[in-house]
């Protein structure tokens, strides 16, 4: 006799993650690691597609889930990367994992992404602070992979100190090309540092782009947004052309639990990327 419990198949819900394998782990800074992740199911791997700015929910089995943006190029169909800062339960457990380890993946999630199609033919400026580089790297890659479709391209990237710069080697390589103008700045320089010192806001007044033809993308710690926006508005950049990736404590990722609401918006489904025009009147947004 087959017991009922044995007959019963595990019922899949919207919260059931897909099994995936960590195929590579790379240390980016003393606190951040890059994980390359491959979905185990070949069909799901081929179907998995995302837009720059979207995120996944990652499960460390037996411990919990956390949302992470996808910093790799959507054009890579075999696997995707995550950049994870060691901060708490899930991220610490991930940092202890080696290639071959299994995790769960739900997503990609978020209807609000960086609208790269709209940016074609225009100038693009990315302003990133600290780990804010992770969500915008996907957009950076999309633009560089189709560079001739865009006009001028600038990255302003600020970190606490040179050791905290993410994707340092990649940035050094890019600096040698004519594809992008990169301005780096740190709060605490060391003896070798020969670039800007201070917050990334200081570099905005020197931007020499017409507000009509320029899209701005901002991602970084909450404190950065207020000051960056003031500078951008001072230069008359248009709120509908400024895109910000917002981060809120999130549980479900699919618009059910309401943990991540800002006014009438949910960061998980309406965002995480919003135009300044969409959120400028929402009190707790910035
Ligand atoms: C859309 C989205 C995209 C994200 N992308 C990335 C990413 O690419 N890389 C990355 O490293 N992190 C990212 N995060 C943040 C990440 O999801 C959290 O840091 C996550 O909670 C870590 O889980 P944990 O179990 O390690 O930490 P927990 O054990 O849950 O928390 C540890 C400590 O950190 C604090 N904390 C946790 N999350 C946050 C937060 N979001 N803001 C402020 N304090 C917090 C907690 O209050 C607690 O004190 C993203 C978050 C969102 C909402």
């Amino acid at each position: 006799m087959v017991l009922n419990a044995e007959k019963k198949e595990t019922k899949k819900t919207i919260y059931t993650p897909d099994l995936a394998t960590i195929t590579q782990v790379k240390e980016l800074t003393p606190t951040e690691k890059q994980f390359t992740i491959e979905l185990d199911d070949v069909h799901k791997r081929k179907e998995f597609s995302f837009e720059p700015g979207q995120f996944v929910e990652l499960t460390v089995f037996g411990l919990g889930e956390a949302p992470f943006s996808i910093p790799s190029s959507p054009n890579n169909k075999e696997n995707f990367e995550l950049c994870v800062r060691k901060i708490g339960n899930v991220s610490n457990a991930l940092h202890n994992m080696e290639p071959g380890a299994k995790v769960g993946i739900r997503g990609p999630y978020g209807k609000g992404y960086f609208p790269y199609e709209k940016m074609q033919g225009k100038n693009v400026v990315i302003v990133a602070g600290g780990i804010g580089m992770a969500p915008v790297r996907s957009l950076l890659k999309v633009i560089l992979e189709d560079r001739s479709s865009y006009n001028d391209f600038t990255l302003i990237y600020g970190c606490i100190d040179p050791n905290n710069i993410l994707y340092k080697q990649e940035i050094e390589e890019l600096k040698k090309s004519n594809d992008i103008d990169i301005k780096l700045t740190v709060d605490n320089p060391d003896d070798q540092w020969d670039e800007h010192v201070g917050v990334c806001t200081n570099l905005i007044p020197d931007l020499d782009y017409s507000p009509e033809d320029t899209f701005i993308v901002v991602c970084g710690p909450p404190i950065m947004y207020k000051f960056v926006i003031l500078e951008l508005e001072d230069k008359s950049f248009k709120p509908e052309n400024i895109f910000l990736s917002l981060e809120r404590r999130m549980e479900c990722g699919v618009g059910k639990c309401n943990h991540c609401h800002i006014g009438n918006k949910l960061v998980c489904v309406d965002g995480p990327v919003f135009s300044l025009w969409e959120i400028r009147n929402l009190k707790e947004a910035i």
Side-chain angles (χ1 to χ4, degrees):
M1 194 180 108
V2 183
L3 291 174
N4 270 351
E6 282 174 321
K7 269 203 287 185
K8 211 161 128 190
E9 276 189 20
T10 317
K11 199 176 161 206
K12 287 210 162 195
T13 71
I14 50 167
Y15 304 112
T16 311
D18 289 317
L19 202 58
T21 305
I22 296 175
T23 58
Q24 262 185 57
V25 181
K26 193 170 159 189
E27 194 165 307
L28 297 176
T29 72
T31 45
E32 277 98 7
K33 281 186 180 177
Q34 173 178 288
F35 297 87
T36 307
I37 309 234
E38 202 174 274
L39 291 172
D40 286 3
D41 184 309
V42 180
H43 299 292
K44 287 192 172 149
R45 198 185 306 159
K46 296 263 176 280
E47 277 167 18
F48 185 90
S49 70
F50 65 94
E51 300 289 356
Q54 284 192 303
F55 67 96
V56 288
E57 286 280 348
L58 179 142
T59 306
V60 171
F61 293 109
L63 198 67
E65 269 190 319
F68 296 104
S69 305
I70 313 171
S72 48
S73 167
N75 297 324
N76 175 4
K77 301 290 176 199
E78 285 306 308
N79 52 40
F80 60 91
E81 292 161 5
L82 300 179
C83 164
V84 177
R85 174 173 285 177
K86 214 173 149 163
I87 187 167
N89 293 331
V90 170
S91 52
N92 270 307
L94 256 176
H95 270 243
N96 289 330
M97 287 182 172
E98 307 263 332
K102 297 288 179 193
V103 290
I105 295 290
R106 292 196 284 128
Y109 294 134
K111 287 185 201 135
Y113 58 89
F114 300 118
Y116 58 95
E117 299 100 334
K118 269 197 201 171
M119 299 176 186
Q120 290 179 352
K122 306 282 184 187
N123 308 309
V124 181
V125 178
I126 295 179
V127 185
I131 198 165
M133 185 64 195
V136 298
R137 180 168 169 263
S138 172
L139 173 69
L140 190 115
K141 291 209 163 266
V142 163
I143 295 177
L144 291 172
E145 284 162 5
D146 183 20
R147 184 63 189 87
S148 58
S149 298
Y150 300 83
N151 207 342
D152 286 350
F153 188 22
T154 293
L155 168 69
I156 296 176
Y157 181 30
C159 284
I160 291 177
D161 62 46
N163 284 335
N164 286 90
I165 296 174
L166 291 168
Y167 308 106
K168 208 181 270 177
Q169 218 176 330
E170 208 170 285
I171 289 175
E172 286 310 318
E173 286 302 312
L174 278 175
K175 274 179 13 194
K176 292 181 204 152
S177 77
N178 288 326
D179 289 338
I180 180 166
D181 179 22
I182 299 184
K183 298 174 198 302
L184 296 179
T185 183
V186 296
D187 297 354
N188 308 314
D190 57 17
D191 293 344
Q192 282 93 55
W193 187 253
D194 58 359
E195 303 206 33
H196 300 276
V197 174
V199 291
C200 46
T201 328
N202 298 346
L203 303 177
I204 294 172
D206 289 341
L207 288 174
D208 191 18
Y209 294 135
S210 117
E212 304 304 314
D213 299 318
T214 306
F215 280 85
I216 315 265
V217 164
V218 188
C219 191
I223 182 78
M224 187 183 112
Y225 287 67
K226 198 176 281 175
F227 297 105
V228 167
I229 288 164
L230 284 175
E231 291 293 341
L232 293 174
E233 289 186 326
D234 205 45
K235 303 270 303 174
S236 306
F237 288 113
K238 298 159 87 178
E240 58 271 35
N241 288 354
I242 299 174
F243 288 86
L244 310 109
S245 180
L246 299 186
E247 209 177 278
R248 289 294 184 276
R249 285 313 303 263
M250 212 175 258
E251 296 291 331
C252 72
V254 289
K256 303 283 183 201
C257 75
N258 268 10
H259 265 79
C260 63
H261 80 95
I262 305 176
N264 62 353
K265 304 270 185 205
L266 289 173
V267 174
C268 65
V269 287
D270 300 317
V273 175
F274 297 91
S275 72
L276 179 59
W277 184 84
E278 275 178 282
I279 55 165
R280 66 183 318 165
N281 296 323
L282 295 179
K283 251 200 208 152
E284 324 98 80
I286 289 156

